[in-house]
Amino acid sequence: MPTQPTRTLLPPETAAPQVRLGTLVNLRWLAILGQTLTVVGASLALSLSLALGFCFLAIGAAVIANLIAMTVYPPNTRLPERPAFGFLLFDLLQLASLLFLTGGLNNPFALLFLAPVTISATALTLRATLTLAGIALVLVSLLGGYHLPLMMADGTLLELPRLFVVGFWAAIVVGMLFLSGFAFRLTKETEGMSKALLATQTALAREQKLQDLGGVVAAAAHELGTPLATIKLVSGELAEELADRPDLLEDALLIRSQADRCRDILRSMGRAGKSDLQVRSAPLETVLREAAEPHEDRGVEIAYDFKPIDADGGRRPVVRRAPEIIHGLRNLIQNAVDFADQKVWVDGRWSDGQIVLRVIDDGPGFLPEVIPRLGDPFLRSRQRRGYDGMGLGLFIAKTLLERTGATVSFANGSRPGRRRAGIERSGAIAEVTWPRTALAVPEGEPLGQNAPIA
């Protein structure tokens, strides 16, 4: 049977950023309202001598641009990078022209240069943001020396001392760089976390579907068990009675062999899991072996060790067989097998108060500088020739296991890249700790009734 191509949880390249036109239009209307009120208020209430005609011409250009955008495109249009960049560039030039008419950097509203660049940092690529920031820097610098003077109605010139103008210019530039850089970094981290959480939900949904499918197959195997056993019994008796009829004996043996084949097929299909309450919990060792099973034939030995933490640890716990637990542990074991030289250890420890699982390999270990960040998505945590990872597997494992009440931590058995003589467990260590009440099934509690499968 041909194998299906593997589907990745995330595309290798993210789509080009797109900005909602309605958001930019609304922001521009807000800016137009503020500019109009400021110009009118400064002229009437503060008795400033302004070139009102040219000021309203600049504001009117923004109004016309907004009306054209609303007429040509519906409000829910998603703008690609170039149109969005042009939209913000127009706002930047319009603001620069208005400041040129109202005193340049002597006007405190020059701080509004921060707005288009910060919006670009949250919505556009780094290249577009740097280009817009460069243009804004040039415009701010030009306005420091070239602008119409700001005067009162009686001719009094309003102009800051040169040192204050330079300081104001420096404050705008530093604020622009800081706010845009912070907004860009925060947006990318939020976007990456959202995609990683989506991948986690996809992985969990897949694991849940496998268990649900296993439940249906298990129910079918249970219901078909009696008919298949009857067919096998009757066909066996027919084979005995038809020993002297070779032509009919062959058909009876074929019926019996096909019944055996049906039984084997149902048994193999049901290995993904059953939905009855009896198998929703299993001994700790069984759950760990099930999680490690897909990686046992990859050329790395997986050794298991189970024992209580102390003499009062009690009986070996029976734990919940939840998809989050199995998939999370499977990712940790996969990471260990990927970097192990020859062997991986899976240890289970328990006491009256907690259950501790450790996955240890004999590989090079984690890099010390990335251990505090392990569990974050899109982090290349352990580099090896021929291996390219984003840390998404560890993120999914940590997220799923923490949802079950676990605490996940990472450490090294020895210094990365160096194996201490006589000590095998010198590689990376992933430790998962649960309160016993969060993972173990209470002893002696009745299972209840199995729910019918719809």
Side-chain angles (χ1 to χ4, degrees), residues 332-347:
L332 293 181
I333 295 172
Q334 176 185 350
N335 187 76
V337 172
D338 286 341
F339 292 97
D341 291 335
Q342 298 177 351
K343 194 171 183 179
V344 170
W345 292 265
V346 179
D347 297 343

Side-chain angles (χ1 to χ4, degrees), residues 317-320 351-355 404-405 434-442:
V318 176
V319 301
R320 292 188 294 115
S351 66
D352 287 337
Q354 64 180 4
I355 297 175
T404 66
W434 285 273
R436 182 157 181 154
T437 55
L439 185 63
V441 176

Side-chain angles (χ1 to χ4, degrees), residues 16-33:
Q18 293 187 340
V19 188
R20 186 172 175 270
L21 176 63
T23 302
L24 295 179
V25 168
N26 290 335
L27 288 175
R28 181 180 285 172
W29 282 127
L30 185 61
I32 290 172
L33 177 62

Side-chain angles (χ1 to χ4, degrees), residues 102-410:
T102 56
L105 293 188
N106 295 292
N107 189 332
F109 287 98
L111 277 175
L112 293 176
F113 267 107
L114 302 176
V117 180
T118 304
I119 294 174
S120 174
T122 60
L124 304 184
T125 62
L126 179 61
R127 179 180 179 181
T129 302
L130 290 177
T131 303
L132 199 66
I135 296 174
L137 179 61
V138 172
L139 292 176
V140 171
S141 301
L142 291 176
L143 287 174
Y146 302 95
H147 55 268
L148 295 182
L150 189 62
M151 294 187 297
M152 301 291 292
D154 58 1
T156 304
L157 182 64
L158 299 178
E159 187 174 5
L160 293 173
R162 192 65 181 172
L163 181 61
F164 279 82
V165 173
V166 174
F168 193 32
W169 174 88
I172 294 175
V173 172
V174 172
M176 187 184 306
L177 296 177
F178 176 78
L179 289 178
S180 59
F182 177 78
F184 182 83
R185 181 59 183 255
L186 183 62
T187 302
K188 291 302 177 183
E189 288 185 356
T190 303
E191 180 183 359
M193 185 63 69
S194 299
K195 292 179 179 179
L197 289 174
L198 177 61
T200 303
Q201 295 173 355
T202 304
L204 181 58
R206 178 179 178 275
E207 192 73 28
Q208 186 66 56
K209 284 183 178 180
L210 289 176
Q211 289 209 1
D212 292 343
L213 177 62
V216 175
V217 173
H222 177 73
E223 296 296 330
L224 294 175
T226 300
L228 289 175
T230 303
I231 294 173
K232 183 177 179 181
L233 177 62
V234 173
S235 62
E237 293 177 351
L238 286 175
E240 294 177 359
E241 294 178 2
L242 299 174
D244 56 345
R245 300 282 301 275
D247 53 337
L248 299 178
L249 175 62
E250 183 178 352
D251 293 337
L253 293 176
L254 179 61
I255 293 174
R256 186 171 66 177
S257 66
Q258 292 304 305
D260 290 337
R261 184 183 176 191
C262 290
R263 179 200 61 195
D264 295 338
I265 290 173
L266 289 171
R267 181 181 299 170
S268 63
M269 290 176 64
R271 294 183 65 188
K274 300 180 176 66
S275 64
D276 63 65
L277 297 178
Q278 182 65 37
V279 294
R280 290 197 178 177
S281 60
L284 179 64
E285 180 177 356
T286 302
V287 173
L288 282 176
R289 289 184 181 274
E290 180 181 355
E293 182 181 7
H295 307 291
E296 289 183 340
D297 57 351
R298 295 179 54 193
V300 175
E301 178 187 356
I302 300 179
Y304 302 91
D305 184 22
F306 301 93
K307 60 185 177 182
I309 296 176
D310 49 44
D312 299 329
R315 298 175 56 186
R316 181 171 298 182
V318 176
V319 301
R320 292 188 294 115
R321 192 174 164 273
E324 297 96 326
I325 296 172
I326 294 175
H327 195 84
L329 293 175
R330 184 169 294 162
N331 278 11
L332 293 181
I333 295 172
Q334 176 185 350
N335 187 76
V337 172
D338 286 341
F339 292 97
D341 291 335
Q342 298 177 351
K343 194 171 183 179
V344 170
W345 292 265
V346 179
D347 297 343
R349 301 288 185 266
W350 64 88
S351 66
D352 287 337
Q354 64 180 4
I355 297 175
V356 181
L357 303 180
R358 294 188 184 92
V359 180
I360 310 170
D361 62 64
D362 61 350
F366 298 115
L367 296 176
E369 59 270 20
V370 303
I371 288 181
R373 296 183 57 201
L374 287 177
D376 290 345
F378 310 108
L379 169 68
R380 285 182 171 83
S381 58
R382 299 165 72 185
Q383 299 294 329
R384 191 176 73 176
R385 188 182 301 275
Y387 186 91
D388 185 22
M390 298 186 298
L392 188 58
L394 289 180
F395 171 81
I396 292 176
K398 188 171 184 292
T399 301
L400 292 179
L401 293 173
E402 287 179 346
R403 285 179 57 177
T404 66
T407 301
V408 183
S409 60
F410 303 94

